[in-house]
Every structure is written in C-alpha cells, then in structure tokens.
C-alpha cells in the first residue's frame, strides 16, 4: 500500500495551472495563451500582465479560437487554448476534430472549470460530455489532473509533448491526493492504494472521494485498490486488465455523463476479456442534465460521494 | 508523410520561375495560362480516374493557385517544412485536386502520384491532409476552418518577426460560415498586414447561386466594414492576381474578392451549378482536354 500525502485544505487547480504556465513561459518564449474573453475565468490575468504580447484574446469566438491555436502550433508556438470546458469542447468540437486531432497540430486545449464546477449556472455551463466527445478523436491525449501537483505536471508534459492534448483544469476545490514525489505518466493510471477485493477508479474531483470510499470499505475489512485515472486517453488498458484479474470488481466514478466516458472505456475493456477474467463493473456518473444546485449538491445528487462509491462496491461484490 | 519531394520536378519548377521573372507581361501571362491549363488537365484526368471530385470549384481556383505558387509564395518544395516559410491554406478543401496538381507541378511530390487521387490508401484523400501531403499546412474539408488557422499562422509570424506571409483561399459559399467572420474580426483587431484572405467568388455553391441561397452581397462592404483592405479583381487575370497578392498598403489584413467563373476553362462546364461535383463522361473528358490543350 502506497502512502498518500494529504495536505490539509482544498485547492482550485486553476491557480497551480496559471503559476506553472507563467514559470515555464519565462524560459520558453514559444508558450502563448489563447482565450475567448476568459482572461479572468481562465486565471490568465497574471500571464497577460507579464507577457502581454503572448496572450491572444480572440473575444467570444470559440471556433476561431481553436483554429487560431492550431495556426500558432503549426508555426512552432505552444498554444494553451483556454476556455470554459463546455464552450471549448462543445462549440468548437469540429475545430478540435479537424484542426487539432486530425491535423495533429500540438495544441493544448485547456477545459477550464470542467464537470459541474459552474453548479447553479446549469447544464449549458457544465462540461460533462467532454470525455465522451473527445475520446472518439484519435491522437488527442485527455488528461484530468486530480490535484495541484498533477496540474503542474500536466502543464509541463503539455509543453514537452509533440502531440495535441486536452486538459481538464478543475475549479471545484479538491484536496491534494498525489503521493509526494509521484510523477504523472502518460497513458497510466496512478495507484493510490493497493488492494485485492475491489478496485475503485476515479478521475478528477472523484479521486479524493474514491480514497475516502476506500477507507469506508477498509473499515468493513475489504482490501481496496484505488486508481487515479489522470490520463483517460491513451487509456491504461493494462491497469484495467490487472484490476479485473487481481480484484473482484471495478467501480468507476467521474464528473461526467456515463455515455462514453471513463466508465464506458473501462467496461469496454473488461467486457472483452475472457469469461474467467470478467468482473462486475459499476459506472457512477451523470445520466441526465443536472437540476439546479451547487457543485457539491449535484455531486451528491448524482451519487458521486464516498458513501455511494462504497455502496456500489458492496453491491458489485454481493450481486455480481 | 507519405509523399516525398520530386527533385526533377522541382528543377522544372525553378526553371519556370526564372522564365517568369525574365518574361514580359504578355509572355508571363501566357506562361501562367499554360501552367494553369496543364493543372486543369491534370484535374480532369484525376477526376476521370477517381470517378469523383469537385471539378467546378477546382477550375475556378486554379488561376489563383497558379499565381500563388509561381512567384508569390516564398517556399522551397525541396524543404516543405522550412522555418519562416510563407503559408498557404486552401480552406475550400473539397478542391483538393487542384491543390494536388499545383503542388505536384512544384515538385512537392511526383506528378505520377496524381492518378492515385482518392484511391484506396492514397495520400491524396478527397480533402487535403498535412501529415500525408507535403505542402499542405493544415487539414481542411469542413468549411470555415482555414481562415482561423491562417490567422493563427499570421499571428505566429508577427510574434516571431520573421516576415512570413500567410494566404488563405475560401470559396464564396463558404463565407456563409460564421467562423470566417470571427476570424475576420481577429485579423483586423491584431492588424495582421501579413495575411491575405482570398474569396473565390464564382457565385455558385453546391445547390444553387449564392445569392439565391443566402445572399453574400454586398460582400465588399462587409469586408471593408470588418476592417480589411479590399481588392476586387478578375480572378482569372494573372497580372491582376499578382497585384492583388502584393503586401498590404494600409497596415490592415488584405481581403481579395477574386471574381471567377466556376468551371473556368472548359466551355460546357463553366458557370453551371450541376458541375459542382459532376463527373465528366468519357466523351466529355476528351472534349475538355482538347479545350485545355
């Protein structure tokens, strides 16, 4: 069992994102930021103040914004294209497909305030379809940092990567969950806790909740594996297969629609295993447009809590 | 990248450049006209062989492409990825055949490849792919994508201070896409005087005339109102095209309305809506090649 270092407190990952971006931009003048009038909400005020020529604000024009990012990347720049997740991925989906993924221009698409971070603003402002939409695009990495450390490492990897990438940059405050000294690895889940009875796979805001659920289950005497799915694409097939072979059930949890998201990806792998290796899977996420409520209220509403994860694990073990 | 440089063809292209530089205005136009009609003949053969294509738009844009790739763009077909090069984006990606024939004539790849157009596993897909075809700068096909990318490339050239220029060609029907108008605003806002947006104004779109579908006019006033320097030309006049592609004189990005004829060069194809993507019969192929000879 690896040790989890938990720093007291809850953090908005956008702060770590902006800090790391500015730090790297000081020594790499290829780094630019592109946004859609979201200088404030994308936490780019300090970047703009320090690098006024390298912050390109195209106004409220997301399709153009993604195309401009592709053009900058094609000419050797490293563009961090920042906008609230729903508009970046929804309004510009065809640009993300054709100009970024299919063209393989190494743009970094930064989905700010993803999931249900904009709680009461409602489903128009929730980015809960992004996994489903973007998983269908070959050649686009999908990264979901769970905390401040992973957010910084995701920014570093984006600068070093020759490939396009989508990063969910969380706004809803979360605790630190990554072990000290851990490294975000492309295409790998991070093991936060070893176990043999059941595996909980969380991503983003759901990672700390999976860790808490494991504590609840451990109190029942269960040996629980917890995986942080910080990379959704490329998918860590080996870890999923190992979880199926070595533990009795898999529970996934994501702040996103269950149609085509992380859970669907995991289930697709498990369902294609041999009969003896298949295990029960439970997929926790959204199944409908959210009602009105705060982010925390909505996470509870959709059963994305430690208690619900633990209950799903017990159910999978009992009922198969 | 599936295709590589054809050194012999690059040499032929270089010799043509020398001839064009030394030629009188009349001779230059004659040389470009010959080059353009050779490209149109290639397109006829490609579409005949593939059994599909967009011949009308290919022919309306051919003279624009011919002028750009013969004396305007600072490019090196021996080194397609050369840093600081000028960039060309064919936003109307369905006219890939005309682009492929033009690129092959420059030696970006062998003209022998042209007959693979749209064949199984060919690099020459129905719409251009930059990872397969040297000289293609970004993948296009869905309309309204090229100009935003060109704006990004022009911004990059400004940031780098390398003097590179960027040209994008849109179909006129394509100007119905809202993303173009977003990009026009950005180009003007950032004063991208290294960017030229060309509208291939053949007045026909897939199903009907543009003005009978969703009116574009007054396109000139719209482009001026969006803050661009405007040049209106005959898109089949080589001297007018060359003049229109000169750098901005106002510090603003340049918009060129190139008035063209869809299907230009073959009498029975010209200005007929059905030739958007109609394929010529065997007899029509012979007639077309005769007219273009």
């Amino acid at each position: 069992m690896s040790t989890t270092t938990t720093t007291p407190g809850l953090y908005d990952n956008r702060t770590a994102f902006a800090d790391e971006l500015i730090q790297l931009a000081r020594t790499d003048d290829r780094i630019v930021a592109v946004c859609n009038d979201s200088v404030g909400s994308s936490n780019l005020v300090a970047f703009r103040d320090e690098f006024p020529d390298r912050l390109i604000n195209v106004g409220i024009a997301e399709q153009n914004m993604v195309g401009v990012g592709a053009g900058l990347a094609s000419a050797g720049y490293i563009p961090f294209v920042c906008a609230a997740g729903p508009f970046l991925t929804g309004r510009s989906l065809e640009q993300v497909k054709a100009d970024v993924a299919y063209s393989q221009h190494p743009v970094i698409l930064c989905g700010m305030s993803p999931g249900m971070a904009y709680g009461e603003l409602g489903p128009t402002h929730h980015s809960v379809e992004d996994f489903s939409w973007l998983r269908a695009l070959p050649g686009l990495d999908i990264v979901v940092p769970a905390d401040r450390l992973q957010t910084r490492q995701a920014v570093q990897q984006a600068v070093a990567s020759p490939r396009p990438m989508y990063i969910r940059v969380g706004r809803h405050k979360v605790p630190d969950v990554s072990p000290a000294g851990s490294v975000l690895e492309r295409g790998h889940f991070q093991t936060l806790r070893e176990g043999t009875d059941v595996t909980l796979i969380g991503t983003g805001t759901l990672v700390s909740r999976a860790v808490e659920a494991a504590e609840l289950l451990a109190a029942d005497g269960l040996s629980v594996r917890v995986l942080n799915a910080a990379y959704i694409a490329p998918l860590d097939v080996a870890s999923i297969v190992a979880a199926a072979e070595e533990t009795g059930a898999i529970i996934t949890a994501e702040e996103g629609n269950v149609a085509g998201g992380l859970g669907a990806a995991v289930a697709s792998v498990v369902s294609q295993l041999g009969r003896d290796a298949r295990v029960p899977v439970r997929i926790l996420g959204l199944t409908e447009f959210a009602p009105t409520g705060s982010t925390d209220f909505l996470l509870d509403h959709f059963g994305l809590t430690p208690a619900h994860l633990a209950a799903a694990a017990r159910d999978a073990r009992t009922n198969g | 990248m599936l295709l590589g440089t054809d050194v012999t063809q690059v040499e032929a292209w270089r010799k043509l450049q020398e001839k064009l530089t030394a030629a009188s205005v009349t001779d230059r136009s004659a040389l470009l006209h010959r080059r353009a009609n050779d490209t149109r003949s290639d397109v006829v053969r490609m579409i005949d062989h593939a059994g599909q294509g967009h011949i009308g738009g290919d022919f309306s844009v051919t003279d624009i492409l011919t002028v750009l790739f013969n004396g305007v763009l600072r490019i090196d077909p021996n080194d397609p990825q050369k840093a600081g090069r000028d960039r060309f984006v064919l936003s109307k990606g369905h006219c890939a055949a005309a682009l492929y024939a033009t690129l092959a004539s420059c030696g970006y790849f062998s003209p022998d490849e042209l007959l693979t157009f749209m064949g199984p596993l060919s690099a020459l897909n129905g719409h251009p792919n930059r990872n397969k075809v040297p000289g293609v700068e970004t993948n296009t096909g869905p309309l309204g994508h090229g100009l935003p990318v060109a704006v990004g490339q022009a911004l990059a050239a400004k940031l780098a201070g390398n003097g590179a220029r960027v040209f994008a060609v849109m179909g006129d029907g394509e100007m119905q896409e809202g993303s173009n108008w977003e990009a026009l605003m950005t180009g003007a806002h950032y004063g991208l005087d290294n960017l030229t947006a060309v509208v291939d104004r053949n007045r026909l779109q897939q199903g009907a005339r543009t003005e009978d579908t969703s009116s574009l006019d007054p396109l000139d006033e719209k482009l001026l109102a969006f803050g661009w320097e405007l040049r209106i030309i005959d898109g089949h006049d080589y001297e007018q095209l060359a003049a229109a592609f000169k750098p901005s004189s106002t510090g603003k990005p340049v918009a060129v309305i190139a008035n063209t004829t869809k299907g230009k060069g073959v009498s029975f194809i010209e200005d007929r809506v059905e030739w958007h993507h109609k394929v010529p019969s065997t007899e029509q192929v012979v007639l077309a090649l005769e007219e273009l000879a």
Side-chain angles (χ1 to χ4, degrees), chain B residues 10-27:
Chain B
V10 174
E11 199 46 42
W13 173 74
R14 283 201 197 289
K15 288 204 171 117
L16 176 61
Q17 306 314 298
E18 287 168 15
K19 270 195 190 175
L20 287 166
T21 308
S24 66
V25 170
T26 314
D27 289 351

Side-chain angles (χ1 to χ4, degrees), chain B residues 34-259:
Chain B
R34 182 67 265 140
R35 176 66 267 158
N37 272 0
D38 286 349
T39 296
R40 289 189 174 96
S41 297
D42 284 339
V43 168
V44 169
R45 287 187 281 265
M46 291 162 72
I47 289 177
D48 176 41
H49 195 261
Q52 49 187 334
H54 291 85
I55 201 164
D58 284 333
F59 283 5
S60 70
V61 82
T62 296
D63 291 317
I64 294 166
L65 295 174
T66 301
V67 171
L68 282 170
F69 281 86
N70 291 279
V72 176
L73 292 167
R74 293 175 312 148
I75 47 172
D76 181 359
N78 276 323
D79 185 6
Q81 303 290 320
K82 193 171 188 171
R85 67 190 178 278
D86 287 350
R87 308 271 176 154
F88 173 71
V89 174
L90 182 68
S91 191
K92 45 178 284 184
H94 57 287
C95 295
L99 178 63
Y100 296 152
T102 302
L103 293 173
S105 77
C106 301
Y108 279 100
F109 54 89
S110 168
D112 295 343
E113 293 287 338
L114 291 175
L115 287 188
T116 72
F117 178 56
M118 294 173 90
L121 303 181
S122 170
L124 305 182
N125 184 63
H127 296 90
N129 183 325
R130 80 173 189 101
N131 297 301
K132 296 181 178 176
V133 186
V136 172
E137 297 284 2
T138 192
N139 300 8
T140 51
L143 299 173
H145 283 241
L147 190 56
V149 174
V151 166
Q153 292 171 332
L155 277 165
K158 286 282 183 191
L159 282 168
N162 61 13
R165 298 179 65 200
V166 182
F167 295 81
V169 173
M170 279 75 66
D172 54 355
E174 185 180 357
M175 296 308 287
Q176 291 158 357
E177 291 281 9
S179 52
N180 281 321
W181 299 93
E182 296 180 2
L184 286 164
M185 283 194 277
T186 305
H189 181 82
Y190 281 94
L192 298 179
D193 59 0
N194 57 344
L195 174 62
T196 298
V198 185
V199 180
D200 180 2
R201 185 78 171 108
N202 61 34
R203 296 190 167 266
L204 285 171
Q205 53 195 102
Q206 179 172 312
R209 298 203 167 269
T210 57
E211 302 315 289
D212 294 336
T213 305
S214 181
S215 302
L216 295 168
D217 283 333
L219 185 59
D220 51 351
E221 291 176 23
K222 290 174 184 169
L223 292 168
L224 282 168
F226 272 68
W228 286 54
E229 180 180 332
L230 180 64
R231 297 169 183 174
I232 303 173
I233 59 157
D234 173 348
H236 301 302
D237 181 306
Y238 302 104
E239 287 308 307
Q240 288 189 35
L241 282 163
F245 296 153
K246 294 210 177 306
S248 168
S249 58
T250 54
K252 299 174 180 178
V254 175
V256 177
I257 297 179
N259 286 310

Side-chain angles (χ1 to χ4, degrees), chain A residues 2-319:
Chain A
S2 61
T3 318
T4 301
T5 307
T6 305
T7 307
L10 297 170
Y11 305 96
D12 178 339
N13 285 338
R14 292 177 305 162
T15 307
F17 169 81
D19 286 351
E20 189 64 28
L21 189 63
I22 287 170
Q23 202 163 313
L24 293 174
R26 283 177 184 149
T27 55
D28 190 339
D29 59 13
R30 298 171 304 165
I31 295 174
V32 295
V34 185
C35 71
N36 62 333
D37 191 34
S38 62
V39 179
S41 57
S42 292
N43 217 22
L44 290 169
V45 173
F47 184 95
R48 179 192 61 192
D49 291 347
E50 188 163 343
F51 311 105
D53 296 338
R54 288 155 64 185
L55 185 281
I56 294 148
N57 183 354
V58 301
I60 306 164
E62 290 79 16
Q63 299 175 61
N64 177 42
M65 171 185 68
V66 173
V68 165
L72 284 158
S74 91
Y77 282 85
I78 302 174
F80 282 75
V81 176
C82 304
F87 316 129
L88 174 66
T89 62
R91 176 66 70 92
S92 321
L93 185 57
E94 191 181 72
Q95 277 75 15
V96 173
K97 172 187 170 184
D99 307 349
V100 178
Y102 182 44
S103 288
Q104 280 293 291
H105 290 306
V107 175
I108 301 116
L109 301 161
C110 307
M112 313 302 290
S113 309
M116 298 182 290
Y118 282 124
E120 299 88 341
L121 298 187
T124 56
H125 284 55
H126 294 165
S127 183
V128 293
E129 304 86 3
D130 48 356
F131 296 157
S132 316
W133 291 339
L134 302 184
R135 276 189 61 232
L137 302 179
L140 179 66
D141 287 3
I142 302 174
V143 188
V144 192
D147 60 10
R148 297 182 296 174
L149 178 64
Q150 289 201 321
T151 301
R152 285 183 180 276
Q153 291 179 346
V155 173
Q156 293 160 11
Q157 285 189 14
V159 170
S161 170
R163 288 172 291 268
M165 181 184 285
Y166 171 71
I167 308 176
R168 259 196 184 196
V169 183
R171 171 199 190 101
H172 188 61
K173 290 182 177 175
V174 287
D176 292 331
V177 291
S178 300
S182 68
V183 176
L184 178 67
E185 282 185 88
R186 178 172 187 265
H188 287 275
F189 294 165
Q190 202 165 69
T191 304
L192 294 180
R193 180 180 178 121
E194 263 306 350
T196 53
D197 291 328
V198 62
T199 300
L200 308 180
I201 307 178
T203 189
T205 42
L206 271 298
V207 174
S208 61
R209 290 166 182 246
V211 172
E212 286 182 50
E215 298 290 344
L216 297 176
L217 292 165
D220 293 352
L222 288 176
S223 168
V224 184
R225 181 177 300 184
V226 177
L227 302 177
N228 169 8
Y231 263 88
I232 288 185
L235 187 66
D236 189 350
V237 173
S239 286
I240 298 167
V241 172
E245 288 175 345
E246 296 163 11
T247 75
I250 299 177
I251 315 304
T252 69
E254 62 202 293
E255 198 178 338
N257 195 287
V258 295
L262 169 67
V266 170
S268 173
V269 172
V270 175
S271 67
Q272 294 177 76
L273 295 174
R275 185 176 301 147
D276 295 341
R278 281 180 227 147
V279 293
V281 176
R282 296 289 185 274
I283 298 171
L284 305 187
L286 276 69
T287 50
E288 58 189 19
F289 290 122
T292 306
S294 69
T295 307
D296 276 323
F297 171 84
L298 293 173
L299 289 169
D300 288 353
H301 174 81
F302 285 111
L304 296 169
T305 64
H308 283 93
L309 265 91
R314 291 186 197 104
D315 174 61
R317 281 180 51 78
T318 306
N319 298 316

